């Protein structure tokens, strides 16, 4: 009945479809295919002026570590990444302004937004011809920088609050992971939603994507049912990756959150923390077995 | 099949992720259930079996019939649990402790009635059991045994006496009845004899008056018929006689004997003269004398009319007639006597017809009395035999097959079973609660489910990432869970063990 391919068994239809596509098919169209220096191999030494990412912390938290052997998580993230890039290509073909922005959101806190956003960013950064900008838009609880072991700095909110004096591009922190830069949340304010929703905010977000044609912006948003700034961002992005925590997020919460993100047409779901597998080893083991 | 397998796995998964809820519910149910079980009072049951044997030395037709025996068994059962018996039991056991008033005793009797069950296991095997609850275990156990023992005592003594008394009473009654009957029969017999000697002696036949009267009448009819016959035959003889001649005409020379003799003598004289005898001859003289006498006789002899001989038929008929006449006279006299007897009786009875009815009634009564008397007599003989058999053996034997024992452990409730049931129910409730919760609050375990439920594209699934920190945490939580579950099992085992080792401890 099924092809006996451990990569395929137990995945969803979409996963299978994506897996069947060869990598060449999904080279993003419309994204500038300028050659980069050396892709993934450039981990060798820290880039000049880049903030160092604490790899040990990454490993401790179970996140992807650039340059580490491929594990199950990396495989899973690859599938997600491919899918997102496909959608982005699609959007670009249709001349969407927001083709290159992705919002990572969820219904409730603790469902794995930040975790997924960082993993996604690291995974995407491994692509040869993309620059990834990971924006911490969870203003109430900015978590990306501490998780990556980076010192807090001024960021998006400062730029929103003082558009005249602060240039947002100068706030972007390049990291020692190639093609990955960070935009911190910045100083907390009480009217973040309004700031984001304002025309100034829109302009600023637009600027972030349009500044570099190779850039893909990933927003780590606050929980949809806990803070409203996420929904304000929804209209500014091309697609939304909604994190659903397995065995935890309830159907009603999911529906409410999707409603909050109504402004965006492309909402895709990602099931996180899956424990019920179908008796098949997860992706990573496939490679490990082969290596032995 | 695959879908069902997935469903089952999903259900198990849904329960597993809510295992803490399941454990909590299981604990709660078990603690409450075990608490309730420990509140159930202990029941102590003591039982004894007694075999009631009726004597069977008598043959079946003389001894008590099966029906009688069944009734006897029934009576035994009834009396065993009668209020009177139970009151004796109450007074004879610890139940009456600290009881002064009758009301208390009767209340206890009512309570006792509920405790005691008497079951007839076979035809004559009774199981008496007492089920005592409440109070300290040891005391209840002893009390149960006491009650059963007392039941048996009261029952055995009562039944033995009662049965003997019953037979004696029956014998007495039968004797009285027989005496009465005898007297009645004698009276009736005397009356009947008087009546007979007074009125019926003259009549032929036996039996009561009407029978005899009928017999007499028929005899009278017979006699009259005979008389008529006799008369007619007399008439016939007389007629014949009249038509018959006295003498036969054809014999004129017939002389009477005297003349014949005279002639003979004269012949002889002539013969003597012819020989030459003279008149002086002695023989001639003798002959002459004889002739003289014969002449005299011949002169006296009547000379028949015409001188014919008498007719023998005439003579015969004459004697027949005389005979007939005598018979007629006899019959006539007989008839007259019968007639007069009957007439006399009729006269008498016509004056008082009740007497006849009385006599008939007396005859019937006598018959009935005699029958009754016979029956009673056989019955009395049977009863006498039974009584003697009862005296010779014990008519009713009570064998205590199983003597009542002091129960060592409570008979109910079956605590290990209940404890186990509660444990199972508790675990079941926990599982059910976890599952129900999973049903109420829909979450998603697999991408397929998520896609199905939300209708939105699911682009991937991320497995649970196991870091050192959360691995340790998970191990700790698992340990805790196992500890919780283990503690539940341990408490269960301890409770069951305690109950098995020291029954009644939990009550």
């Amino acid at each position: 009945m099924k092809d006996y391919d451990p990569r395929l068994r137990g995945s969803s239809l979409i996963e299978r479809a994506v897996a069947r596509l060869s990598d060449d098919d999904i080279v993003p169209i419309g994204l500038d295919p300028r050659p980069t220096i050396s892709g993934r191999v450039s981990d060798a030494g820290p880039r000049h002026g880049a903030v160092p990412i604490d790899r040990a912390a990454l490993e401790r938290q179970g996140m992807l570590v650039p340059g580490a052997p491929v594990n199950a998580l990396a495989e899973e993230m690859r599938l997600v990444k491919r899918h997102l890039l496909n959608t982005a290509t699609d959007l670009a073909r249709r001349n969407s302004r927001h083709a290159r922005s992705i919002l990572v959101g969820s219904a409730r806190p603790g469902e794995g937004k930040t975790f997924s956003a960082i993993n996604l960013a690291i995974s995407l950064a491994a692509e040869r011809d993309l620059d990834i900008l990971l924006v911490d838009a969870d203003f109430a609880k900015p978590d990306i920088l501490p998780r990556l072991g980076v010192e807090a700095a001024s960021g998006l909110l400062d730029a929103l609050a003082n558009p005249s004096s602060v240039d947002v591009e100068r706030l972007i922190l390049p990291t020692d992971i190639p093609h990955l830069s960070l935009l911190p949340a910045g100083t907390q304010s009480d009217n973040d939603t309004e700031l984001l929703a304002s025309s100034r905010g829109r302009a600023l977000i637009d600027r972030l994507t349009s500044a570099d044609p190779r850039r893909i912006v990933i927003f780590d948003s606050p929980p949809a049912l806990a803070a409203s700034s996420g929904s304000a961002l929804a209209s500014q992005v091309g697609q939304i990756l909604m994190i659903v925590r397995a065995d935890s997020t309830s159907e009603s919460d999911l529906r409410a959150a999707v409603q909050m993100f109504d402004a965006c047409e492309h909402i895709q779901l990602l099931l996180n923390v899956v424990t019920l597998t179908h008796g098949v080893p997860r992706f990573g083991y496939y490679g490990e077995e082969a290596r032995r | 099949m695959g879908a069902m397998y997935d469903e089952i796995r999903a259900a198990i998964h849904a329960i597993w992720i809510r295992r803490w809820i399941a454990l909590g519910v299981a604990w709660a149910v078990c603690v409450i259930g075990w608490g309730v079980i420990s509140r159930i009072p202990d029941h102590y049951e003591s039982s004894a079996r007694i075999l009631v044997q009726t004597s069977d030395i008598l043959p079946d037709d003389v001894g008590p019939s099966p029906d009688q025996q069944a009734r006897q068994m029934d009576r035994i059962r009834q009396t065993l649990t009668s209020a009177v018996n139970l009151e004796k039991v109450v007074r004879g056991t610890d139940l009456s402790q600290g009881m002064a008033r009758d009301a208390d005793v009767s209340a206890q009797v009512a309570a006792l009635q509920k405790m005691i069950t008497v079951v007839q296991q076979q035809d004559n095997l009774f199981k008496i059991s007492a089920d005592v609850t409440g109070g300290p275990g040891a005391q209840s156990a002893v009390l149960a045994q006491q009650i059963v023992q007392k039941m048996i005592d009261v029952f055995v003594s009562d039944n033995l006496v009662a049965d003997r008394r019953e037979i004696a009473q029956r014998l007495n009654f039968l004797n009285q009845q027989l005496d009465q009957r005898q007297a009645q029969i004698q009276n009736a017999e005397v009356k009947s004899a008087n009546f007979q000697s007074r009125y019926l002696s003259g009549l032929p036949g036996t039996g009561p008056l009407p029978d005899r009267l009928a017999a007499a009448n028929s005899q009278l009819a017979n006699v009259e018929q005979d008389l008529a016959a006799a008369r007619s035959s007399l008439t016939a003889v007389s007629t014949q006689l009249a038509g018959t001649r006295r003498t036969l005409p054809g014999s004129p020379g017939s002389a009477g004997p005297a003349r014949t003799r005279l002639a003979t003598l004269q012949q002889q004289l002539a013969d003597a003269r012819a020989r030459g005898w003279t008149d002086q001859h002695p023989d001639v003289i003798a002959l002459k004398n004889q002739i003289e006498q014969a002449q005299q006789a011949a002169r006296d002899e009547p000379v028949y009319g015409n001188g014919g001989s008498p007719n023998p038929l005439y003579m015969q008929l004459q004697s027949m007639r005389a005979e007939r006449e005598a018979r007629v006279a006899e019959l006539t006299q007989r008839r007259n006597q019968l007639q007069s007897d009957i007439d006399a009786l009729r006269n008498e009875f016509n004056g008082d017809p009740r007497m006849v009815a009385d006599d008939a009634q007396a005859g019937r009564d006598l018959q009935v009395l005699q029958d009754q008397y016979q029956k009673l007599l056989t019955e009395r003989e049977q009863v006498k035999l039974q009584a003697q058999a009862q005296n010779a053996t014990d008519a009713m034997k009570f064998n205590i097959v199983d003597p009542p024992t002091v129960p060592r452990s409570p008979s109910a409730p079956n605590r290990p079973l209940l404890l186990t049931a509660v444990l199972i129910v508790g675990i079941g409730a926990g599982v059910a609660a976890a599952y129900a919760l999973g049903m109420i609050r829909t979450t998603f375990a697999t991408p397929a489910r998520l896609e199905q439920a939300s209708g939105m594209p699911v682009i991937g699934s991320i497995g649970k990432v196991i870091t050192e920190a959360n691995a340790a945490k998970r191990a700790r939580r698992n340990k805790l869970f196992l500890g919780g579950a283990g503690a539940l099992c341990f408490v269960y085992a301890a409770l069951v063990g305690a109950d098995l080792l020291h029954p009644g401890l939990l009550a």
Side-chain angles (χ1 to χ4, degrees):
Chain A
M1 250 173 74
K2 287 181 182 172
D3 296 340
Y4 190 70
D5 181 351
R7 290 182 64 144
L8 301 183
R9 280 188 56 193
S11 0
S12 77
L13 271 176
I14 297 165
E15 286 170 347
R16 266 176 267 156
V18 169
R20 275 168 191 271
L21 297 172
S22 69
D23 279 6
D24 298 333
D25 290 338
I26 53 168
V27 167
I29 302 165
L31 298 177
D32 191 355
R34 266 191 296 175
T36 57
I37 322 162
S38 66
R40 317 171 52 163
V41 200
S42 58
D43 286 340
R47 284 188 294 176
H48 173 71
V51 292
I53 300 293
D54 187 349
R55 317 276 158 130
L58 284 182
E59 195 169 350
R60 209 165 46 241
Q61 293 171 64
M63 297 203 227
L64 286 181
V65 180
V70 174
N71 59 8
L73 179 60
E75 272 312 334
E76 285 159 351
M77 284 322 293
R78 272 182 186 169
L79 284 173
V80 177
K81 172 177 76 178
R82 285 279 159 262
H83 217 87
L84 290 173
L85 288 176
N86 262 2
T87 314
T89 312
D90 238 24
L91 287 169
R93 210 183 275 145
R94 278 189 263 151
N95 295 321
S96 169
R97 282 192 303 146
H98 309 298
R100 284 180 285 119
S101 55
I102 300 169
L103 178 76
V104 178
S106 79
R108 300 268 177 202
E111 292 182 331
K113 284 178 308 295
T114 308
F115 176 85
S116 300
I118 293 172
N119 280 337
L120 186 63
I122 292 173
S123 184
L124 277 169
E127 290 291 315
R128 296 198 174 92
D129 37 17
L130 295 178
D131 277 332
I132 309 302
L133 176 60
L134 180 56
V135 180
D136 197 346
D138 189 353
F139 306 117
K141 241 175 83 185
D143 208 22
I144 287 181
L145 267 61
R147 284 217 191 185
L148 294 176
V150 178
E151 287 293 313
S154 52
L156 185 57
L157 276 179
D158 300 302
L160 283 172
N162 310 301
S164 50
S165 58
V166 183
D167 179 12
V168 70
E169 286 295 327
R170 293 186 59 184
L171 294 176
I172 293 173
L173 303 172
T175 64
D176 60 350
I177 298 173
H179 312 301
L180 177 62
S181 8
L182 305 174
L183 179 59
T187 319
Q188 281 198 17
S189 83
D190 291 334
N191 49 357
D192 45 9
T193 310
E194 287 74 18
L195 284 175
L196 267 179
S198 65
S199 56
R200 235 168 30 197
R202 288 157 177 274
L204 193 135
I205 304 283
D206 277 350
R207 204 140 37 113
L208 277 179
T209 39
S210 57
D212 184 347
R214 302 198 319 162
R215 179 182 284 172
I216 286 187
V217 185
I218 298 173
F219 293 96
D220 178 23
S221 81
L225 303 181
S228 56
S229 54
S231 58
L233 264 175
S235 57
Q236 305 283 311
V237 297
Q239 50 185 321
I240 291 175
L241 182 62
M242 175 79 93
I243 309 299
V244 177
R245 188 176 175 131
D247 304 322
S248 166
T249 308
S250 70
E251 194 174 351
S252 52
D253 281 357
L254 176 63
R255 289 197 186 287
V258 167
Q259 211 129 44
M260 298 289 282
F261 289 136
D262 221 14
C264 180
E265 281 177 24
H266 292 85
I267 301 178
Q268 286 148 316
L269 307 182
L270 174 61
L271 193 61
N272 194 18
V273 204
V274 173
T275 50
L276 178 65
T277 57
H278 287 279
V280 187
R282 285 163 64 199
F283 291 118
Y285 302 110
Y286 173 68
E288 277 168 30
E289 273 165 25
R291 243 172 268 136
R292 269 180 214 143
Chain B
M1 200 59 211
M4 195 160 143
Y5 174 71
D6 285 350
E7 287 288 327
I8 293 168
R9 267 177 57 87
I12 291 171
H13 177 77
I15 292 162
W16 177 245
I17 59 169
R18 293 176 186 85
R19 57 191 179 277
W20 287 99
I21 291 166
L23 185 64
V25 171
W27 260 104
V29 169
C30 285
V31 165
I32 291 169
W34 289 337
V36 169
I37 287 173
S38 73
R39 296 243 157 225
I40 300 173
D42 271 335
H43 287 249
Y44 283 88
E45 190 184 279
S46 178
S47 68
R49 288 194 300 166
I50 51 174
L51 188 68
V52 181
Q53 268 180 324
T54 47
S55 140
D56 49 0
I57 61 166
L58 291 176
D60 280 351
D61 50 341
V62 182
S65 67
D67 189 40
Q68 239 175 340
Q69 283 186 9
R71 262 188 290 134
Q72 210 167 23
M73 294 298 155
D74 206 39
R75 199 199 65 203
I76 287 172
R77 234 158 58 84
Q78 299 286 335
T79 48
L80 208 54
T81 50
S82 66
V84 180
N85 258 2
L86 292 183
E87 196 176 323
K88 279 183 198 163
V89 172
V90 168
R91 292 196 190 281
T93 57
D94 290 349
L95 283 174
S96 58
Q97 268 180 358
M99 260 177 214
R101 292 178 301 129
D102 281 353
D104 292 344
V105 173
S106 52
Q108 275 294 339
V109 166
L112 189 61
Q113 211 146 23
K114 286 190 192 114
M115 293 181 201
I116 288 172
T117 45
V118 177
V119 182
Q120 192 172 357
Q121 285 188 326
Q122 281 162 25
D123 275 353
N124 47 7
L125 192 62
F126 289 93
K127 185 181 179 194
I128 306 171
S129 48
D131 185 357
V132 179
T133 179
Q139 199 178 320
S140 295
V142 171
L143 188 57
Q145 191 263 349
Q146 265 187 354
I147 288 172
V148 176
Q149 185 61 55
K150 189 68 190 170
M151 285 282 292
I152 293 172
D153 292 350
V154 167
F155 167 64
V156 168
S157 62
D158 273 14
N159 260 297
L160 277 179
V161 175
D163 204 56
R164 293 235 165 111
R165 212 161 45 208
E166 194 194 38
I167 290 237
Q169 274 175 356
R170 276 181 72 190
L171 209 54
N172 253 349
F173 173 75
L174 285 174
N175 279 334
Q176 279 175 13
Q177 289 295 313
L178 279 172
D179 287 350
Q180 275 182 22
R181 292 285 185 288
Q182 217 163 12
Q184 282 173 348
I185 287 172
Q186 274 173 2
N187 272 344
E189 275 174 352
V190 167
K191 241 164 82 181
S192 167
N194 280 344
F195 185 85
Q196 295 221 348
S197 64
R198 185 167 156 203
Y199 297 111
L200 306 180
S201 52
L203 286 179
T206 55
L209 180 72
D211 293 355
R212 292 198 186 207
L213 211 52
N217 274 329
S218 81
Q219 212 168 0
L220 181 61
N222 276 342
V223 167
E224 269 182 343
Q225 215 169 0
D226 286 352
L227 185 59
R231 272 192 181 138
S232 76
S233 97
L234 178 61
T235 314
V237 168
S238 292
T239 316
Q240 213 174 354
L241 194 61
T244 307
R245 289 171 56 184
R246 291 176 76 119
T247 50
L248 289 173
S251 55
S254 74
R259 286 202 176 96
T260 313
R261 182 169 156 86
L262 184 59
T264 310
L265 285 172
Q266 278 170 341
Q267 185 74 42
Q268 282 175 353
L269 187 57
D271 283 350
R273 274 181 181 148
R275 267 184 228 143
W277 291 355
T278 63
D279 288 345
Q280 277 75 33
H281 193 277
D283 283 353
V284 177
I285 297 167
L287 276 172
K288 280 184 177 170
N289 282 348
Q290 277 182 357
I291 287 168
E292 221 172 312
Q293 281 171 4
Q295 273 172 337
Q296 248 180 318
R299 262 195 315 270
D300 291 346
E301 193 181 52
V303 178
Y304 299 106
N306 52 3
S309 59
N311 189 354
L313 179 63
Y314 182 84
M315 305 284 277
Q316 202 181 340
L317 283 174
Q318 216 168 19
S319 73
M320 271 173 78
R321 194 182 65 176
E323 200 184 314
R324 295 285 197 279
E325 274 171 349
R327 172 119 180 99
V328 166
E330 182 202 323
L331 283 174
T332 308
Q333 202 211 335
R334 183 88 195 278
R335 187 199 63 184
N336 288 345
Q337 200 207 328
L338 271 173
Q339 193 66 57
S340 73
D341 272 359
I342 288 170
D343 286 350
L345 265 178
R346 282 224 167 105
N347 279 341
E348 195 136 7
F349 294 147
N350 284 344
D352 188 3
R354 225 181 52 210
M355 208 163 56
V356 187
D358 278 356
D359 182 52
Q361 184 64 41
R364 282 196 294 274
D365 282 356
L366 187 61
Q367 194 59 45
V368 170
L369 279 172
Q370 274 166 346
D371 288 354
Q372 198 82 37
Y373 186 76
Q374 282 302 324
K375 260 194 231 165
L376 281 172
L377 208 58
T378 25
E379 199 166 341
R380 189 188 62 177
E381 287 314 303
Q382 276 190 13
V383 172
K384 236 182 197 168
L385 200 53
Q386 280 181 23
Q388 274 162 10
Q390 224 174 45
N391 283 337
T393 63
D394 267 340
M396 242 198 238
K397 262 192 200 157
F398 298 91
N399 283 347
I400 299 174
V401 180
D402 293 331
T405 51
V406 178
R408 289 183 51 223
S409 58
S411 59
N414 187 348
R415 284 185 211 280
L417 188 72
L418 288 176
L419 291 174
T420 309
V422 165
L423 180 71
I424 290 169
V425 167
I427 291 172
V431 167
Y435 186 73
L437 217 64
M439 289 288 108
I440 292 166
R441 191 169 176 276
T442 315
T443 58
F444 312 101
T446 60
R449 270 167 187 273
L450 175 58
E451 195 160 35
Q452 211 176 5
S454 66
M456 280 182 284
V458 178
I459 57 171
S461 65
I462 308 292
K464 187 177 170 81
V465 174
I466 298 155
T467 62
E468 274 171 35
N470 68 18
K473 196 173 151 195
R474 197 164 74 161
R476 205 171 57 242
R477 284 171 66 90
N478 276 352
K479 245 184 242 168
L480 214 63
F481 178 75
L482 281 179
L488 189 65
C489 292
F490 176 76
V491 171
Y492 162 73
L495 286 174
V496 170
D499 188 62
L500 289 180
L501 289 180
H502 301 285
L505 191 71
L506 295 181

